[in-house]
Amino acid sequence: MAYTILDCYTDEPAGLGVPPYLGTYPRYIYGYLNQNNKSIKYITIDDLRNSKGINEKRSIQKTNIKRYNTTRSADETKEILNSTTELIIIAGVHTPGKYLSAVPGTLKEIIQLTKELNCKKTLTGPAVYGTSTEGGKFFEKADLSNFNEIKDFNFSYEEIDDFAVKGAGIIKQIPGLRIIELETSKGCSRKEHCSFCTEPIKNKISFRPKQDILKEAKAFTKLGVKYFRLGKQSDYYSHPEAIGIIKEIRKGCNPNVLHIDNVNPVNVVSKKGIEITKAIVKYCTAGNIAAFGVESFDPEVVKQNNLNADPEVTYEAGRILNKYGRERGESGMQKFLPGINLLFGLIGESKTTNEHNVQWLKRFMDEGLLIRRINVRQVDIFEGTPIYNTVGNKFIKKNKKFYWKWRNEIRQNIDFPMLKKLVPEGTFLKNVRMEIYDGKTTFGRQIGTYPLIVGVKQRLELNKFYDVEVIGHMLRSVIGRVKQ
Ligand code: SF4
């Protein structure tokens, strides 16, 4: 058998696999197939687009991000596909965003590009539970008969122990820079779940043993990887060894970047939570963010959707992170700050919902607390979730007319002044990696979790690192000048 893994990229509430991130799905599957030393190739949707001459329009003005993450030439991709006997297609976006230098494949596109391939086609990844690359929508409907099999590999942690280490070898087939998204747990530790979330449908709660996480990080380190994010989990703080994991990765791998992602604010507000916060500041690298899945500060929406943290708890968690993490680190960014995720279209949303959001965010500002970034999305509706089973897209339809205004209120009144406090003019940001061109401007960012986008008004070499001085602010990004 000749296996090929086709990575069309994944984005879930608990886990990111859109370049520059390399998700867990291709790695574990590579390790699983690798057990018997079979021939396993890894290609991306960008390789496939490239090999088919799709989106070929060349613009010297703007970088083509649909073909940015190729791993090999078009001819080599064609050869691989011709000799493939089984194509394992990884796809699925549950929390769509805008990506600076990648575009995940939609089902429609994947089907279009693979329908003529003469091999077995297996669809896996979050797409098994649906996918949507645009906010505020039902999951994408498509004719799935293109695939011979739809399969959730759903490996246990005993299996992953072996597959993750063997899977690290996949990196040898990827010439571009990648951040490795490491997994610490699956499922959700809450008894009652949030109305919109797919995580409890996909997984029962279980924690990955610390030693296994470390073994995987070491395997990647041996292969030259220097960038890690502990992002594949619904709450980093709930892992019983949250401190030991980062301490040992720091000691055993000494990565250039070590960040975390999702955090339940409830678990920050405790003696143990404070200890974990201090350890994260100590062992991780600067620019780190605890993304709080707040979703809404409207008490009615919190109640009706069974959301995780009430506003007071979120505020207190934000205060704790500011207390220990707001000092500027070596990269030029603060060491560790809260990020806030908001969701429009939830059950019970009303005309006054965003007033609650703005009021609470203003409280952070007025009391001098920093929020590193605010993500605002529209909910996507997936089969099996409580929102799907009750109201569907009723509230999105009802309130859609307000969303631009609501988002803009947050951007103008909170994000913009907050950004000026976070990185005032004259701040130096180290190691900004230039990624794309748009006209005469080059856009780049530091490596890590939700890094700030920096626009420099000159054409700089892509994939190269520059130290940059902040000389101006946009709503959510900064204008920089290369430090001479
Ligand atoms: S807390 Fe809510 S959003 Fe987070 S994993 Fe659990 S159900 Fe999903």
Side-chain angles (χ1 to χ4, degrees):
M1 289 289 266
Y3 291 95
T4 299
I5 296 169
L6 169 63
D7 191 355
C8 304
Y9 315 136
T10 59
D11 192 350
E12 304 166 88
L16 180 60
V18 180
Y21 282 85
L22 181 63
T24 54
Y25 296 94
R27 287 152 35 203
Y28 295 169
I29 290 171
Y30 186 89
Y32 160 69
L33 297 171
N34 206 359
Q35 290 174 101
N36 305 321
N37 287 326
K38 292 169 193 141
S39 151
I40 310 141
K41 296 288 185 204
Y42 170 86
I43 59 171
T44 62
I45 180 93
D46 298 47
D47 283 314
L48 189 57
R49 290 167 184 148
N50 196 29
S51 74
K52 300 256 174 191
I54 308 282
N55 311 111
E56 202 157 26
K57 213 174 93 198
R58 280 172 208 272
S59 160
I60 46 162
Q61 289 302 314
K62 203 167 178 176
T63 303
N64 182 355
I65 62 167
K66 287 193 114 182
R67 293 162 63 149
Y68 188 79
N69 300 287
T70 51
T71 63
R72 55 197 87 228
S73 70
D75 284 344
E76 208 184 323
T77 303
K78 277 185 211 159
E79 260 173 48
I80 288 174
L81 289 170
N82 283 340
S83 55
T84 298
T85 49
E86 183 168 350
L87 185 69
I88 298 174
I89 302 162
I90 296 163
V93 173
H94 290 180
T95 44
K98 265 188 138 191
Y99 311 96
L100 183 66
S101 60
V103 181
T106 60
L107 279 181
K108 198 169 151 234
E109 182 186 22
I110 296 165
I111 292 169
Q112 178 64 28
L113 294 181
T114 60
K115 67 179 181 211
E116 273 155 20
L117 295 177
N118 191 17
C119 61
K120 182 182 173 194
K121 285 168 256 170
T122 301
L123 177 70
T124 187
V128 170
Y129 301 91
T131 180
S132 171
T133 51
E134 218 184 311
K137 298 267 156 90
F138 277 96
F139 60 96
E140 194 187 340
K141 302 266 181 346
D143 175 11
L144 299 177
S145 64
N146 174 62
F147 307 106
N148 302 85
E149 197 179 4
I150 295 172
K151 179 174 174 182
D152 181 354
F153 284 84
N154 205 6
F155 301 125
S156 68
Y157 280 140
E158 287 76 43
E159 291 170 309
I160 289 172
D161 177 22
D162 182 31
F163 302 161
V165 173
K166 289 197 173 106
I170 200 171
I171 199 76
K172 292 188 207 155
Q173 295 192 38
I174 306 173
L177 182 152
R178 288 291 182 274
I179 305 163
I180 303 301
E181 179 89 321
L182 292 170
E183 174 166 0
T184 67
S185 69
K186 22 173 156 239
C188 173
S189 53
R190 298 178 68 215
K191 284 198 184 76
E192 305 265 323
H193 302 122
C194 307
S195 66
F196 59 90
C197 185
T198 50
E199 185 60 23
I201 301 171
K202 289 181 284 191
N203 298 301
K204 289 215 165 63
I205 180 78
S206 57
F207 294 97
R208 188 174 178 206
K210 179 185 74 181
Q211 285 319 317
D212 298 0
I213 303 169
L214 196 65
K215 267 198 265 173
E216 187 185 19
K218 282 187 173 165
F220 275 106
T221 303
K222 265 194 200 147
L223 294 168
V225 172
K226 289 297 221 175
Y227 310 106
F228 295 100
R229 183 173 85 158
L230 293 148
K232 184 121 179 60
Q233 75 278 319
S234 60
D235 170 30
Y236 184 72
Y237 277 54
S238 60
H239 196 288
E241 304 229 46
I243 296 178
I245 294 168
I246 45 174
K247 190 174 170 183
E248 291 188 33
I249 293 181
R250 167 59 50 218
K251 210 170 92 201
C253 305
N254 197 25
N256 290 359
V257 171
L258 179 59
H259 284 168
I260 64 153
D261 193 21
N262 311 308
V263 170
N264 179 349
V266 176
N267 289 333
V268 178
V269 186
S270 66
K271 211 166 151 233
K272 189 173 170 222
I274 292 173
E275 290 313 308
I276 297 173
T277 304
K278 286 195 213 164
I280 289 173
V281 172
K282 183 169 175 190
Y283 299 115
C284 293
T285 51
N288 204 0
I289 302 171
F292 291 161
V294 175
E295 323 305 356
S296 180
F297 285 101
D298 178 346
E300 197 48 38
V301 176
V302 172
K303 197 167 105 203
Q304 291 202 37
N305 295 274
N306 196 28
L307 300 181
N308 194 14
D310 75 41
E312 226 24 276
V313 171
T314 302
Y315 182 80
E316 182 54 19
R319 204 188 54 73
I320 291 171
L321 257 68
N322 269 265
K323 179 171 175 191
Y324 296 101
R326 70 180 288 156
E327 189 193 344
R328 212 172 281 282
E330 224 186 297
S331 69
M333 294 302 297
Q334 286 77 7
K335 289 185 174 168
F336 184 36
L337 288 176
I340 290 192
N341 298 341
L342 294 175
L343 209 43
F344 293 161
L346 292 175
I347 309 169
E349 184 181 77
S350 68
K351 270 194 216 163
T352 57
T353 291
N354 205 47
E355 287 170 26
H356 291 276
N357 291 336
V358 172
Q359 198 188 328
W360 273 96
L361 293 169
K362 272 210 165 121
R363 183 173 162 195
F364 275 84
M365 291 249 302
D366 294 345
E367 296 182 22
L369 298 185
L370 295 174
I371 302 169
R372 180 33 210 96
R373 61 108 187 101
I374 303 163
N375 269 10
V376 183
R377 292 195 305 112
Q378 290 175 43
V379 69
D380 286 285
I381 318 281
F382 287 95
E383 202 167 355
T385 57
I387 197 167
Y388 177 91
N389 294 332
T390 53
V391 300
N393 65 350
K394 177 177 151 192
F395 287 91
I396 298 173
K397 281 208 306 221
K398 189 171 139 223
N399 297 326
K400 200 152 195 128
K401 53 186 179 290
F402 302 124
Y403 291 161
W404 189 88
K405 184 173 157 273
W406 286 3
R407 188 191 295 254
N408 196 42
E409 266 170 24
I410 295 171
R411 297 292 174 241
Q412 301 279 356
N413 300 328
I414 314 291
D415 276 304
F416 189 53
M418 187 67 86
L419 193 56
K420 288 182 160 177
K421 280 201 208 176
L422 283 159
V423 282
E425 284 181 26
T427 306
F428 283 102
L429 299 177
K430 269 194 176 168
N431 292 326
V432 177
R433 178 173 165 260
M434 292 304 152
E435 249 171 279
I436 60 160
Y437 296 129
D438 192 350
K440 287 187 180 135
T441 305
T442 313
F443 288 94
R445 50 188 171 171
Q446 294 174 316
I447 307 292
T449 188
Y450 307 102
L452 192 55
I453 294 180
V454 182
V456 179
K457 288 187 176 149
Q458 75 186 95
R459 285 226 160 192
L460 296 168
E461 197 179 323
L462 300 186
N463 289 318
K464 218 180 138 187
F465 291 84
Y466 293 83
D467 292 347
V468 168
E469 180 187 357
V470 175
I471 56 165
H473 298 83
M474 307 298 282
L475 284 182
R476 299 186 77 206
S477 58
V478 294
I479 305 166
R481 176 169 57 206
V482 173
K483 193 180 159 192
Q484 299 303 334

